[in-house]
Amino acid sequence: MAAGVVLRPSWREAGYLATPALLAVAALWLVGQLAILPALLAVLATAGLALGLAAWRARDLARLARWLDGVGSAAGDPPPEIGPPLDAVVQPLVEVGRAVRRQRAELAGQRRLIEAVLGRLPDPVLLIGRERVIRLANPAAERSFGGSLVGLPLGRAVRDPTVTAAVTAAIETGSNSTVTFSPAADRLKQFAAHVGPVPLEDGATGVLMTFREQSEQVLIERMRSDFVANASHEIRTPLAAIHGLIETLQGPARDDAAAREAFLDTMAQETARMTRLVDDLLSLSRIELAAHQPPTERCDVDRVLASVVDRMRPLAAKRRVRLEYVDGEPLPPVLADTDQLHQLFVNLIDNAIKYGGGKPVRIEAEARAAAPADAGGVSGRPCVVVAVVDRGDGIAAEHIPRLTERFYRVDKARSRGQGGTGLGLAIVKHIVRRHGGHLEITSQLGKGSRFTVYLPCAG
Ligand SMILES: Nc1ncnc2c1ncn2[C@@H]1O[C@H](COP(=O)(O)OP(=O)(O)OP(=O)(O)O)[C@@H](O)[C@H]1O
Ligand SMILES: [Mg+2]
């Protein structure tokens, strides 16, 4: 019924109301107690009164009709007061109306609660109804599978034969299953989907699908197996070389003194490289273990740098590389692990000497009131900036983001030839990270490279 309903007074009701009075007037007129004129006036007055009463009743009923019509609305207007005798009929209607209103409010509340819970779930959830149409999709599902999904066929959100088979099994045999798949739009992602039947309100079988993204686990697993493969390869290469040399020494070169000398030298180099590799791996795992314990020692970066430069001078001299470091103004202290800071600068200066093409290597250090905006966690904070600058061949842009990966080398043969393990910059990255700092690598082919470390000053 429309909300603006107006009921007209009923002629029949007016007739019922007027009948007794009209009969009395007619009787009085018949027995001669009433003249024709007053009798007509009495009839008119009675009819008017009856119509008025019927209109009054119609207005009450219209108010009731409007109230019942608004039962579904949120506003809880009180029901209209209807006098006797109709209130005996109206009261049960009012009770029904009240109950409906309460139930609708409860349903709306429950719906809001379900939507809030689904909205909060970090994992995607889909409810599939008849004809495999998506009935419900939480925001996580819309983020993962794209756009508004409700009303679309499941295949538009997740198109994967294993998922389709699991949904069919849930509908036809009521079975629960968990399947893994990668969305067609992003093959690097992986989800585990739990698929199970749920009864729909009309008795049909729907399917509830809950998803868990496993991309990170898959990535970690891939990195772990890559790491094991790389580490084994790095160890197997020198081992194979040593093994070959031993066999040659036991066989054809048994009595060749010159070959023996040369082979022993190579074997010593290879074992030294293996020892360095194991040492680097151990120090990487030690740094990673302490990754979440920020260093607490107050440390003077200029003193560490002076000691590292002294230590590196013999290697630089051997390769005829000049180390340029001016120990100028004292720098403000930083919170650091002195040994790790040592290792960080040794690795950077060692690279600059090795890959700097024999040209001078400059080490710059200064204090800054605020690190630049792109300096990660240090940006905007007072910091000490150390840069190791060489004028070597430089590094092509596509290699730069990968340099800090374990075992990543631009030129494998050249690095190995220099005795490198490919772990130096990975160690640098982890040390900088543990110190809450930032590492910036810039390079120009043919001109050289600059490795800049930002370390936050001690508060
Ligand atoms: N200053 C630099 N100039 C040019 N290339 C560099 C420079 N520093 C590093 N690289 C490149 O980055 C790669 C990774 O460096 P990293 O220090 O991690 O390993 P490495 O020097 O090969 O071995 P390690 O440091 O363990 O002895 C190097 O193999 C080299 O190709
Ligand atoms: Mg190195």
Side-chain angles (χ1 to χ4, degrees):
M1 195 180 294
V5 70
V6 179
L7 290 186
R8 291 184 200 292
S10 147
W11 286 110
R12 187 190 295 178
E13 188 177 6
Y16 291 151
L17 288 170
T19 302
L22 289 176
L23 286 176
V25 170
L28 285 173
W29 179 68
L30 280 175
V31 296
Q33 292 291 315
L34 206 57
I36 185 73
L37 199 63
L40 281 176
L41 283 175
V43 166
L44 278 178
T46 306
L49 205 64
L51 263 177
L53 279 172
W56 181 280
R57 178 64 71 206
R59 199 199 58 174
D60 276 355
L61 290 177
R63 272 167 47 205
L64 177 68
R66 277 198 295 275
W67 184 81
L68 286 173
D69 197 46
V71 153
S73 73
D77 312 332
E81 277 183 25
I82 308 284
L86 272 186
D87 56 356
V89 181
V90 166
Q91 206 48 41
L93 273 181
V94 167
E95 289 307 322
V96 170
R98 279 205 177 113
V100 169
R101 194 175 278 224
R102 252 196 323 272
Q103 280 175 2
R104 291 209 174 169
E106 270 172 28
L107 276 178
Q110 279 175 6
R111 195 180 172 85
R112 276 198 303 276
L113 184 69
I114 291 173
E115 278 171 5
V117 170
L118 285 176
R120 288 250 155 197
L121 282 180
D123 295 327
V125 175
L126 292 178
L127 175 66
I128 314 301
R130 281 181 175 278
E131 312 289 333
R132 303 195 180 190
V133 167
I134 299 172
R135 285 270 307 270
L136 200 146
N138 70 341
E142 306 214 316
R143 277 196 301 275
S144 296
F145 306 126
S148 25
L149 302 172
V150 175
L152 295 181
L154 172 64
R156 292 276 294 278
V158 182
R159 198 179 308 123
D160 187 279
T162 46
V163 174
T164 313
V167 170
T168 307
I171 295 171
E172 289 177 1
T173 64
S175 62
N176 286 284
S177 54
T178 303
V179 292
T180 52
F181 71 98
S182 294
D186 188 352
R187 287 284 169 207
L188 286 178
K189 277 192 179 169
Q190 183 173 305
F191 287 95
H194 181 80
V195 184
V198 279
L200 297 175
E201 58 283 55
D202 60 0
T205 302
V207 177
L208 185 69
M209 304 177 73
T210 49
F211 300 83
R212 170 142 297 180
E213 193 174 340
Q214 297 181 318
S215 316
E216 202 172 321
Q217 280 144 272
V218 171
L219 205 69
I220 290 172
E221 191 52 37
R222 202 172 294 159
M223 276 168 65
R224 199 189 63 83
S225 61
D226 280 358
F227 174 72
V228 172
N230 280 328
S232 324
H233 177 76
E234 292 295 329
I235 292 173
R236 202 187 302 133
T237 310
L239 270 183
I242 294 170
H243 186 74
L245 294 174
I246 292 174
E247 275 184 349
T248 320
L249 280 177
Q250 284 170 334
R254 183 186 290 270
D255 301 316
D256 183 342
R260 197 165 53 228
E261 279 307 304
F263 288 179
L264 283 175
D265 266 0
T266 315
M267 283 159 76
Q269 273 170 27
E270 293 296 341
T271 33
R273 200 156 77 84
M274 273 200 294
T275 312
R276 258 174 35 79
L277 177 69
V278 172
D279 286 349
D280 279 355
L281 283 174
L282 284 176
S283 77
L284 200 53
S285 93
R286 261 198 306 273
I287 299 162
E288 276 188 310
L289 268 182
H292 299 295
Q293 298 156 13
T296 50
E297 205 184 314
R298 286 172 92 81
C299 177
D300 291 328
V301 176
D302 28 10
R303 283 182 53 189
V304 176
L305 274 178
S307 125
V308 171
V309 169
D310 275 350
R311 183 176 145 191
M312 299 303 282
R313 278 202 199 283
L315 177 77
K318 206 163 122 192
R319 298 188 176 226
R320 300 181 195 288
V321 172
R322 197 170 73 237
L323 284 188
E324 298 174 352
Y325 171 62
V326 185
D327 189 0
E329 291 280 295
L331 297 169
V334 297
L335 291 182
D337 176 322
T338 311
D339 287 344
Q340 288 187 0
L341 225 49
H342 232 268
Q343 199 173 4
L344 187 168
F345 297 133
V346 164
N347 284 358
L348 290 183
I349 296 173
D350 177 63
N351 280 352
I353 294 173
K354 280 196 303 196
Y355 309 111
K359 311 245 177 62
V361 168
R362 200 169 66 248
I363 295 114
E364 302 168 358
E366 60 166 353
R368 276 209 216 151
D374 56 358
V378 222
S379 58
R381 294 171 58 191
C383 62
V384 168
V385 188
V386 178
V388 178
V389 189
D390 68 65
R391 286 189 247 151
D393 293 341
I395 308 156
E398 70 265 25
H399 295 295
I400 292 182
R402 302 198 56 191
L403 289 184
T404 55
E405 285 175 22
R406 289 152 206 226
F407 301 116
Y408 189 83
R409 285 171 279 208
V410 177
D411 180 342
K412 272 204 160 57
R414 181 171 169 200
S415 161
R416 282 223 185 88
Q418 308 258 24
T421 63
L423 289 173
L425 288 177
I427 292 175
V428 166
K429 177 179 79 177
H430 280 87
I431 294 178
V432 171
R433 194 182 281 172
R434 185 182 168 218
H435 284 71
H438 179 70
L439 171 70
E440 184 184 271
I441 307 174
T442 51
S443 187
Q444 254 186 306
L445 276 180
K447 294 212 165 145
S449 313
R450 168 184 280 263
F451 288 72
T452 312
V453 175
Y454 297 86
L455 294 168
C457 291

